[in-house]
Structures are given as C-alpha cells and as structure tokens.
Amino acid sequence: MAEQNPVKFGILGCAEIARKVSRAIRLSPNSTLYAVGSRSVEKAAKFAKDNGFPDSAKVYGGYEAVLDDPDVDAVYIPLPTSMHVKWAVLAAQKKKHVLLEKPVALNVKELDVILEACESNGVLFMDGTMWMHHPRTAKMKEFLNDPQRFGQLKTVQTVFTFAADPEFLENDVRVKPELDALGVLGDAGWYNVRACLWAFDYELPKKVTALPGPVFNKSGVLVSCGASLYWEDGKVATFHCSFLSTLTTDVTAVGTKGYLRLHDFVIPDEEDKASFFTCENPGFAELQRGVVADRNEHVVATDLPQEVKMVMEFSRLVGIIKAEGGKPEKKWPTLSRKTQLVLDAVKTSIEKGFESVELIS
Amino acid sequence: MAEQNPVKFGILGCAEIARKVSRAIRLSPNSTLYAVGSRSVEKAAKFAKDNGFPDSAKVYGGYEAVLDDPDVDAVYIPLPTSMHVKWAVLAAQKKKHVLLEKPVALNVKELDVILEACESNGVLFMDGTMWMHHPRTAKMKEFLNDPQRFGQLKTVQTVFTFAADPEFLENDVRVKPELDALGVLGDAGWYNVRACLWAFDYELPKKVTALPGPVFNKSGVLVSCGASLYWEDGKVATFHCSFLSTLTTDVTAVGTKGYLRLHDFVIPDEEDKASFFTCENPGFAELQRGVVADRNEHVVATDLPQEVKMVMEFSRLVGIIKAEGGKPEKKWPTLSRKTQLVLDAVKTSIEKGFESVELIS
C-alpha cells in the first residue's frame, strides 16, 4: 500500500480538551492539523497559534466554514453534548469523517441520528475514549481472556471521581442543563460504563439499576451517582462517578481464577508507560495464616500517548476508506451506542426512583 | 494493677476455624487453652492433642460440660450459626464470657437474645472479626480521620470472594440451610459490611438495597450476592461477596481529598506485617497528560498475628471485669449488632425483589 497522505483535521471549537487532542493530531504521523473554527475568528487564530498548528492552517470564524472547506478530511468535535447532533450530522453530510468527544449524545435517539448520517454518507465515526487505544488495554484484555490465569469474569467494580471546585459545580459546561444535561454520568460515568462493557466483551447487561444517593447541582444536573449492571448467572458490575470526591480512576475485575486491577485507567499516571496488577490463583495458606498469591505488576510501555494512538487509529481507518473505498469500520459506532444505551438506562433508573431498567439493544 | 492470671478458655466444638483460634489463644500472653468440648470425647481429645493444648487441659464429650466447669472463664464458640443462640445464651447464664464466631446470629432478633443474656449476666461479648484487631486497622483509621490527607469519606467499594469447590457449594456448613442459612452473606459479606461500617465510623446507613443477580445453591442458600448501602449526602458503599470467584479481599475508600485501598483486608498476605495504599490530593497534570499524585504504600508491622491481638483484647477486657467488677465493654456487641442489622436488611431486600430497605437501629 502506498504511503498515505496524512488525514487533514478540522477542529470545531476551542474547548480545553481540544488543546490535548490538537497535540495528539500534531504528534500523530498519519494526521495533520489543518483547520480550526470558532465563533470568533480571533479566538480560532489564537487557538491555532497556541496549539502548534502550522502557519498554513486555516482559521475560521464559525464551525460551518470548517465543514465547507473541501480539503478537510475529518473533524474533531469537542462541542458541548447538546450541540453534537447538529454538528456531527452536518459534518457527515459534508462527507467529513467524525471524531466525536464523549458523551457522544444526550441519548441514544440522538446518537442514532448521528450514526445514520455517518453511515449513509460513508464516513467513519469514532468517539474520544482515549484509554481504549493504550497498548495496556490490549494487554489487560489478553489477561481477561486467559482461561487459566483469569477464568470467567464474574464482577467488575469501577470508580471515576474527581473533586471539582464550587465554580465548576455551577458553571462548567459539563454541569449546564442546556449544554451537558447528563452531567457527571456523561462525563466520568461514560468511562466507567465503557470499562464494564469492555471487561464483559461488550455484551450488554440485561438490567441496569441506579444506586441510591445521586447528587444534583442547583440546576438539577447530576454531579454524583452510580449504578449496578447485571448480566445473567450472577455476573454484576457496579460503578460510582462523582465530581465531589478526590481523583480516582479504578477498575477491579474479578474472575473465577484470577483478578485484575488498575488505578489510572482513564489517564495513565505517566505518558510513556502504564501499569496494571494481576493476581493468579490465590489461596489461603495453612490455617488461613496468610494468602498465597501470584501477584504481579505489569508495566506496558508506549511510544506515544494514548490520545495519539487514538488519532492514529482513526486516521488509519479513514486512510483505508480513502484508498480503497468501502464502508467505514462498524466497531467504534457500535461501542459508542452500547455505552450510550447503558447511560440512558442509568438516567431512566434514577428518574424512576432506582427501578431496575431492562436493556433492549 | 497486679499481673492478671491468664483467661482460661473453653472451646465448643472442633470446627476448622477453632484450630486457628486455638493457636491464637496459645500465643496470647493473657490467655490459656483450658478445655475443649465436642460431641465425642475422642474427637475433643484428638483436637486438644493436635492443637497444642497443655496436658492438663480438660477434654469433654459435650458442650455443656465445658460450661459447667467452674474454672472456665470464657468460651470461644465456632459452632454453626443456627446453634449460636442456644449455646451463647447458656454460656452467658453460666457466667462465661463469650467470644462468638461470625456471623453471630441468623438475624438481629436472635442476636438480641444473646446480647441480653450476656448483659444481664455481666459477661463480655465479642465477635470473631479478626481484622478489626490488626494494628494496620488503627493506622488506616488515622488516615481516614485526617481532614487534610483524606477529607470527608464519600464512597466505599469492597469485594470479598473466594472460589469454593463443588463439594463446598453443596455440603459445607456455611451453605447448609439448617446450619448457616445466611450463606455467603453471613460468611464473606459479614466482612464487607463491617468494612463499610468501620469506614463510616459505624454510622448505620439509611437504606440498604441488594444488587441484582444473587446466586443460590440447590438448597436455596446464597452463594453470591451484593448490596449498596446509602447514607445521606450522596454517601454510598457497594459490596460484592461470592463463593464463585477467585480469592479477593479489597476495600477502596474515597474521600474528598484522598483515598485508601488495600487488597488483603480480611487476612493479610503475611502474618508479621500488612500494607495499605494511600493517595493524597491527586490531580491531573497540564493538558491532562498524566496524574500528579502522592501515592504511598504503608507497611504496618505486627509482633503477633491479628487473631492473637483479638484474643488479647478479649482477655484484657475480661481481666478488667474480673479484677475490678463493673459492666462489660459495650463497644463490641454494638458493632456486632450493627453489622447484623445490615446483613438482615440485605437479606430482606433480596427477598423483596431488591427493594430498598430502610434501617431502623
């Protein structure tokens, strides 16, 4: 296959997270920062200058101008969630591949409009869940799939919390009812739900039940909540997400023969390597005087940060479509949709006073 | 205070756990193995011989004979849970101090009969939750109580599972409806519930809701289950206990400023020391390119195993009663009762199809 031209990215908006993804595009060998649009052209120009865009980059005083630029191959959309359906659909209609920040939509009905637009226009859809692309994630999956070391997965517990200040809790985009009505559930909870689905090989749970004790801010947006996810045969996961506790990003997965845990699953402590911990076939010592266990820390090095790996994978798939035609990869939209379905069920369960919600895919 | 005579223990029955506690009594400087009773005197004699009882130890072909021995100060009762109310009450009536294996009773109504008997007879009551007595537990509590390093506790997640073989799942005492009807909830779940209460300073939760997906054996006894415990202000804990997964004994407690976790809370990996892990005031690095956190492993040495510490504390309190008279310490029966109340609520919630159960102390 001939060397592919780098995928030319346009960015819609100058959100904080767009700084990180701009760097990732810049560091990605098969991608290039090509354009940025903001409501004001000055803001776009400043963003381009501050974030390493080449001098040749296009700077637009609006989002639509980015989509109208015929040289833009793909867009990264870090806009508030309530704007996703409008701009992702428009991007797809203009034949731009879509890298969409999470949460991808306010509900699965909106997401289906986006996914239908991407599919009918033959463009790739991927959400911005960076940790999926770290080489650690594949290594952990090898462990979970090992019938001797891990056995059959039985339960997952995961927490993603970080302590927001009072200003954030009232005014951040992520807690504004008109911008991100899912609040912490869409922000931190997205990762917890994805981790549970990932561990259970993306099998949707049969039932989702919110935990008691969700907390809302003054505008009625969730700032702390949790849920249990139930599969058959007693397989169950629980998660807790919150803007009210200190930073934790833990996953523990327990199987019939071993278990896995990690403590920085969303963003690894360090950019060039990440750890996970396993325990294989542990047992009590004689008289239960201790535990005999094969406990190990596994360090997985990475040549590039996980967000660069994400952009590279996105651009690799775009490159295949550009070079060979054919339909976009279905894997990533399917994972986004399953994650959204579970988020919707958690929200419904909270609204119905913690009733159990059956999931229909 | 004059040197106290060692507390003379009688043991009712030859359960496997009695071997461990016999060793603990033997190693405890203020306690002595004085008598053991079994349904057959041969079995009692063999147990005494195998477990380091002194040659002078009394060996009885029945439990009542132990209680009738005027030199026995205290009894350790490792009998199946369904027999606790009969034998603990009788022991109290015979003025023997009571160290009772957990779960202490089949329900709080039975426990109250036991506690009333102990109180009205002026004898000490303590349950056999060994990890409470490890010096690590006090060290961890110091961390949880630190407003700068940990802040306010928000959530606890805990798992205690171990993989039982098919023979255990049908025939072990702990899964026999007529012997230990609480199954895994009374056995492993007892520790999870105690850990949650411990972390929340023994404040009872307002509501308890079982998680979906409990598993029962052929006799209808629980072998896997879980629950969420809810306090006010969004404070919540979840636990999962099971005989169907590999050995895990994890606690994670998340506060507003720091968090604590450990992976061998029930029985430390090693007898002479135990670790816990803390993280203080973590935050994301610039561009969320990593996590800046003060993560530490704390190793707490102990001169004697936690079960010896438990026996020593029990005998210390018995010694005070013997030397000074006065009423027995209320702390330990109070903790047992709160733990039992939560277990009962989990069981009720399961029976009512995972309805939320309000707790009234």
Side-chain angles (χ1 to χ4, degrees):
Chain A
M1 198 170 86
E3 184 78 358
Q4 166 200 322
N5 285 324
V7 170
K8 296 191 187 96
F9 270 88
I11 295 179
L12 302 194
C14 304
E16 180 66 19
I17 186 71
R19 295 178 54 222
K20 179 168 179 152
V21 175
S22 292
R23 172 175 173 266
I25 294 169
R26 190 157 50 75
L27 294 177
S28 166
N30 59 354
S31 316
T32 190
L33 288 167
Y34 182 80
V36 58
S38 176
R39 277 167 296 180
S40 93
V41 70
E42 292 76 20
K43 213 174 149 196
K46 184 172 183 333
F47 183 89
K49 184 164 173 287
D50 290 349
N51 289 283
F53 281 58
D55 292 342
S56 59
K58 302 291 176 66
V59 164
Y60 294 113
Y63 308 137
E64 196 147 4
V66 179
L67 304 183
D68 285 332
D69 185 324
D71 289 327
V72 167
D73 296 313
V75 288
Y76 167 60
I77 307 180
L79 298 169
T81 312
S82 60
M83 299 167 72
H84 283 189
V85 67
K86 174 179 173 179
W87 290 103
V89 166
L90 206 54
Q93 288 168 347
K94 306 260 183 175
K95 312 293 181 192
K96 309 304 184 193
H97 303 280
V98 175
L99 179 60
L100 186 59
E101 201 39 78
K102 35 62 46 190
V104 287
L106 293 174
N107 53 58
V108 79
K109 203 174 148 193
E110 279 196 355
L111 177 59
D112 281 345
V113 173
I114 295 172
L115 296 182
E116 199 288 317
C118 288
E119 191 172 346
S120 63
N121 287 286
V123 298
L124 182 68
F125 175 93
M126 185 190 277
D127 70 48
T129 312
M130 298 169 180
W131 70 267
M132 301 291 300
H133 303 272
H134 197 291
R136 173 176 65 176
T137 304
K139 279 281 170 204
M140 293 192 295
K141 197 73 211 187
E142 278 175 26
F143 179 70
L144 296 186
N145 284 340
D146 190 322
Q148 297 311 318
R149 296 161 72 209
F150 185 74
Q152 191 199 354
L153 178 62
K154 287 292 188 178
T155 191
V156 173
Q157 290 194 336
T158 171
V159 196
F160 182 16
T161 61
F162 59 89
D165 57 34
E167 166 66 17
F168 178 109
L169 290 175
E170 294 309 324
N171 295 316
D172 191 84
V173 170
R174 285 171 275 187
V175 294
K176 285 283 192 187
E178 70 281 13
L179 298 176
D180 261 305
L182 291 171
V184 73
L185 178 60
D187 191 44
W190 174 275
Y191 294 99
N192 295 125
V193 168
R194 176 62 62 86
C196 296
L197 290 172
W198 167 79
F200 279 104
D201 279 334
Y202 303 111
E203 186 187 337
L204 275 177
K206 300 273 178 267
K207 287 195 286 188
V208 170
T209 317
L211 300 183
V215 181
F216 301 87
N217 73 358
K218 283 179 199 154
S219 313
V221 174
L222 279 166
V223 295
S224 176
C225 69
S228 69
L229 281 54
Y230 171 66
W231 289 260
E232 74 290 355
D233 296 332
K235 289 185 285 186
V236 68
T238 56
F239 77 86
H240 175 75
C241 60
S242 176
F243 292 146
L244 306 176
S245 300
T246 197
L247 177 59
T248 56
T249 65
D250 279 19
V251 174
T252 302
V254 185
T256 47
K257 294 188 176 174
Y259 83 106
L260 174 144
R261 59 183 170 77
L262 68 164
H263 307 290
D264 59 350
F265 86 98
V266 176
I267 296 176
D269 285 359
E270 294 169 81
E271 275 203 316
D272 60 349
K273 61 178 186 288
S275 282
F276 64 98
F277 302 84
T278 60
C279 186
E280 298 172 31
N281 296 299
F284 289 119
E286 165 65 12
L287 273 190
Q288 304 196 341
R289 284 169 58 178
V291 175
V292 180
D294 187 6
R295 298 194 196 270
N296 288 292
E297 177 177 4
H298 306 262
V299 181
V300 182
T302 181
D303 55 342
L304 290 164
Q306 61 182 11
E307 60 273 20
V308 182
K309 296 283 187 188
M310 175 183 76
V311 171
M312 285 169 69
E313 172 65 3
F314 178 86
S315 292
R316 186 184 71 82
L317 294 169
V318 169
I320 291 171
I321 298 168
K322 286 176 71 176
E324 304 170 15
K327 290 189 176 169
E329 169 75 51
K330 282 266 201 182
K331 174 185 169 187
W332 297 107
T334 304
L335 302 194
S336 304
R337 190 171 191 277
K338 287 183 174 185
T339 310
Q340 187 77 47
L341 273 169
V342 174
L343 289 190
D344 286 8
V346 175
K347 191 161 177 272
T348 301
S349 179
I350 292 172
E351 287 163 0
K352 291 190 169 179
F354 317 109
E355 261 184 34
S356 184
V357 174
E358 307 235 343
L359 239 70
I360 304 137
S361 52
Chain B
M1 200 170 83
E3 186 78 357
Q4 165 201 321
N5 285 326
V7 170
K8 295 192 190 94
F9 271 88
I11 295 180
L12 304 194
C14 303
E16 179 66 19
I17 186 71
R19 295 178 53 221
K20 179 168 180 153
V21 175
S22 292
R23 173 175 173 264
I25 294 168
R26 190 158 51 78
L27 294 176
S28 167
N30 60 353
S31 316
T32 190
L33 287 167
Y34 183 79
V36 56
S38 177
R39 278 167 295 177
S40 94
V41 71
E42 291 77 19
K43 212 173 150 194
K46 183 173 184 335
F47 183 89
K49 185 166 173 285
D50 291 347
N51 289 283
F53 280 58
D55 292 341
S56 59
K58 302 290 177 66
V59 165
Y60 294 113
Y63 309 137
E64 196 147 4
V66 178
L67 304 183
D68 284 331
D69 185 324
D71 289 326
V72 167
D73 296 312
V75 288
Y76 167 59
I77 308 180
L79 297 170
T81 312
S82 60
M83 299 167 73
H84 283 190
V85 67
K86 172 177 175 181
W87 291 103
V89 167
L90 206 55
Q93 287 167 348
K94 306 262 183 172
K95 311 292 181 192
K96 309 304 184 195
H97 302 281
V98 175
L99 178 59
L100 186 58
E101 201 39 77
K102 36 63 46 189
V104 287
L106 293 174
N107 53 59
V108 80
K109 203 174 149 193
E110 278 196 356
L111 178 58
D112 282 345
V113 173
I114 296 172
L115 295 182
E116 200 286 316
C118 288
E119 192 172 345
S120 63
N121 287 287
V123 298
L124 181 67
F125 174 93
M126 184 189 278
D127 70 48
T129 313
M130 299 170 179
W131 70 267
M132 302 292 300
H133 303 272
H134 196 290
R136 172 175 68 174
T137 304
K139 279 283 169 200
M140 293 192 295
K141 197 74 210 184
E142 279 175 25
F143 179 70
L144 297 185
N145 284 341
D146 191 320
Q148 298 311 319
R149 295 162 72 210
F150 185 75
Q152 191 199 353
L153 178 62
K154 287 290 188 178
T155 191
V156 174
Q157 291 193 335
T158 172
V159 195
F160 183 15
T161 61
F162 60 89
D165 57 33
E167 165 68 18
F168 177 109
L169 291 175
E170 294 308 323
N171 294 317
D172 192 84
V173 169
R174 286 171 274 186
V175 293
K176 285 282 191 187
E178 70 281 12
L179 297 176
D180 260 306
L182 290 171
V184 72
L185 178 61
D187 189 44
W190 173 275
Y191 293 99
N192 295 126
V193 168
R194 176 62 63 86
C196 295
L197 290 171
W198 168 80
F200 280 104
D201 279 334
Y202 303 110
E203 185 187 336
L204 274 177
K206 301 272 177 266
K207 285 194 288 189
V208 171
T209 318
L211 300 183
V215 181
F216 302 87
N217 72 0
K218 283 180 200 156
S219 312
V221 175
L222 279 167
V223 294
S224 176
C225 69
S228 69
L229 281 54
Y230 170 67
W231 289 261
E232 74 288 354
D233 298 331
K235 287 184 286 185
V236 67
T238 55
F239 77 86
H240 175 75
C241 58
S242 176
F243 291 146
L244 306 176
S245 300
T246 196
L247 176 59
T248 57
T249 65
D250 279 19
V251 174
T252 302
V254 185
T256 49
K257 294 186 177 176
Y259 82 107
L260 174 144
R261 59 183 169 78
L262 69 162
H263 307 289
D264 59 351
F265 86 99
V266 176
I267 297 176
D269 284 0
E270 294 169 82
E271 276 203 316
D272 59 349
K273 62 178 186 289
S275 282
F276 64 100
F277 301 85
T278 59
C279 185
E280 297 173 31
N281 297 299
F284 288 119
E286 165 66 10
L287 273 191
Q288 303 196 342
R289 284 170 56 179
V291 174
V292 181
D294 188 6
R295 299 193 196 270
N296 289 293
E297 177 175 4
H298 306 263
V299 181
V300 182
T302 181
D303 54 343
L304 290 164
Q306 60 182 11
E307 60 272 19
V308 182
K309 296 283 185 188
M310 176 183 77
V311 170
M312 285 170 69
E313 173 64 4
F314 178 87
S315 292
R316 185 184 71 83
L317 294 169
V318 169
I320 291 171
I321 298 167
K322 286 176 71 176
E324 303 170 18
K327 291 190 177 169
E329 169 75 50
K330 282 267 199 183
K331 174 184 168 188
W332 298 108
T334 304
L335 301 195
S336 304
R337 191 173 192 277
K338 287 183 173 184
T339 310
Q340 187 77 46
L341 273 170
V342 175
L343 289 190
D344 287 7
V346 175
K347 190 159 177 273
T348 302
S349 180
I350 291 172
E351 287 162 359
K352 291 189 169 181
F354 317 110
E355 260 183 36
S356 185
V357 174
E358 307 235 343
L359 238 70
I360 304 134
S361 53

